[in-house]
């Protein structure tokens, strides 16, 4: 909540191809709003794609109305990733085709994904839209599903895939994220299966829900993994050395200088 535009590293942001922002940050305070707007300005200056997920959290709004602000930010984005309920709140419509019409006509959107939980998603660009069915999974915790969808969708964009493939990758990642507690696990497995999904080679299989005992064991593993992450400085380093396999992200949230 103490973010300020001066923390933005322009040189770092200039290296990215996509700058992803959410509607959570700007509602935390005036300086946070200014930071998000400054990041958007830098993206425009360096001709980078802006990705935006409204990520509406009414509890953070308290007694204020942030709809106009989030709508304006959404119209500035080139990639819009939102829920059907969020579209209803920000645009007054919930039908995917109408949502995309408004975003393409009134905003700068090039790619749009309308996420609808267990019903799947609809993705589109100015050439048309595609319905993406939900990917089969044994869900135990929905936390992180939307973020996982976003990450895989943006991965597809960065790899030059068409919007339908991006949507299928997002659906796989979002579904797999619900099979673990929290939002830290399954990244490597999700990437492999997303690639298979976009190539049309993935084999869907029926999953058996975890027993309470195995779910508890997995929860303990999740906590251990979280402790492992906390022992690092959050950027893939430990004791001043890079961890194996870590490298700079091309699509990332703005980080402090």
């Amino acid at each position: 909540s103490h973010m300020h535009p001066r923390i933005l590293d322009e040189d770092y942001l200039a290296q990215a191809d996509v700058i992803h922002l959410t509607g959570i940050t700007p509602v935390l305070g005036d300086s946070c709003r200014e930071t998000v707007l400054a990041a958007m300005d830098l993206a425009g200056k360096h001709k980078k794609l802006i990705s935006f997920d409204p990520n509406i959290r009414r509890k953070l709004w308290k007694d204020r109305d942030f709809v106009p602000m989030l709508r304006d930010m959404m119209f500035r984005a080139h990639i819009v990733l939102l829920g059907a309920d969020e579209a209803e709140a920000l645009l007054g419509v919930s039908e995917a085709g109408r949502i995309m019409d408004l975003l393409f006509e009134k905003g700068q959107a090039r790619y749009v994904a309308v996420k609808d939980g267990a019903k799947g998603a609809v993705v589109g660009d100015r050439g048309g839209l595609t319905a993406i069915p939900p990917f089969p999974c044994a869900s135990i915790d929905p936390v992180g599903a939307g973020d996982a969808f976003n990450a895989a969708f943006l991965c597809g964009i960065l790899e030059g895939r068409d919007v339908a493939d991006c949507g299928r990758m997002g659906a796989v990642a979002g579904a797999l994220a619900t099979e673990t507690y929290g939002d830290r696990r399954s990244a490597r497995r999700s990437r492999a299966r997303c690639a298979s999904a976009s190539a049309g080679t993935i084999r869907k299989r029926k999953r058996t829900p975890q027993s309470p005992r195995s779910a508890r064991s997995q929860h303990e593993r999740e906590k251990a993994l979280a402790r492992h992450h906390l022992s690092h400085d959050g950027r893939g380093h430990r004791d001043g050395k890079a961890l194996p396999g870590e490298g700079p992200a091309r699509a990332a949230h703005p980080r402090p200088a």
Side-chain angles (χ1 to χ4, degrees):
S1 63
H2 296 284
M3 280 186 179
H4 190 279
R6 64 173 172 268
I7 72 170
L8 296 176
D9 183 339
E10 182 173 354
D11 292 336
Y12 175 76
L13 292 179
Q15 298 175 43
D17 294 315
V18 177
I19 296 175
H20 180 66
L21 303 163
T22 85
I24 290 180
T25 309
V27 307
L28 298 178
D30 292 341
S31 64
C32 291
R33 182 187 70 254
E34 292 168 2
T35 303
V36 171
L37 292 173
M40 287 185 159
D41 290 340
L42 289 174
K45 175 182 176 180
H46 294 283
K47 302 186 185 307
K48 305 301 181 180
L49 293 176
I50 298 172
S51 170
F52 187 73
D53 182 343
N55 224 329
I56 292 176
R57 296 292 183 270
R58 298 280 185 181
K59 290 182 179 180
L60 297 175
W61 293 19
K62 298 180 180 178
D63 59 347
R64 300 184 63 183
D65 179 13
F66 290 105
V67 165
M69 179 188 72
L70 295 182
R71 183 169 53 233
D72 289 345
M73 290 181 173
M74 185 170 64
F75 283 153
R76 293 185 63 179
H78 307 102
I79 304 168
V80 179
L81 309 163
L82 76 169
D85 56 337
E86 292 172 328
E88 179 69 40
L90 298 177
L91 300 173
V93 296
S94 58
E95 194 275 319
R98 184 61 182 140
I99 293 169
M100 293 188 193
D101 286 342
L102 289 172
L103 289 172
F104 292 141
E105 291 171 6
K106 296 187 176 183
Q108 301 185 63
R110 301 180 192 176
Y111 309 98
V112 177
V114 181
K115 300 170 285 185
D116 201 8
K119 295 180 181 179
V122 178
V123 301
D125 54 20
R126 293 179 183 271
L129 54 82
T130 302
I132 305 296
F135 188 79
C137 64
S139 176
I140 60 173
D141 184 359
V143 172
D147 291 334
F149 181 104
N150 293 351
F153 187 93
L154 293 176
C155 178
I157 295 294
L158 291 171
E159 291 178 351
R161 300 177 184 274
D162 64 46
V163 71
D165 278 349
C166 295
R168 284 188 280 269
M169 292 170 67
V172 173
L176 294 182
T178 71
E179 294 188 332
T180 61
Y181 286 100
D183 52 6
R184 292 181 178 273
R185 292 290 297 270
S186 302
R188 294 179 183 175
R189 182 165 61 114
S190 295
R191 183 176 178 85
R193 300 194 75 185
C194 287
S196 298
S198 63
T201 60
I202 197 163
R203 180 166 62 90
K204 298 179 182 179
R205 67 179 185 272
K206 184 176 181 180
R207 297 181 179 276
T208 302
Q210 291 178 306
S211 67
R213 177 176 295 180
S214 64
R216 285 195 298 271
S217 297
Q218 185 165 340
H219 194 192
E220 291 302 317
R221 290 194 296 272
E222 292 291 338
K223 292 195 293 185
L225 182 65
R227 289 193 295 270
H228 170 76
H229 278 278
L230 289 173
S231 70
H232 297 73
D233 67 5
R235 292 172 294 177
H237 295 75
R238 186 175 185 178
D239 299 327
K241 298 180 180 179
L243 293 175
E246 291 291 339
R250 297 301 303 278
H253 291 282
R255 73 174 185 184

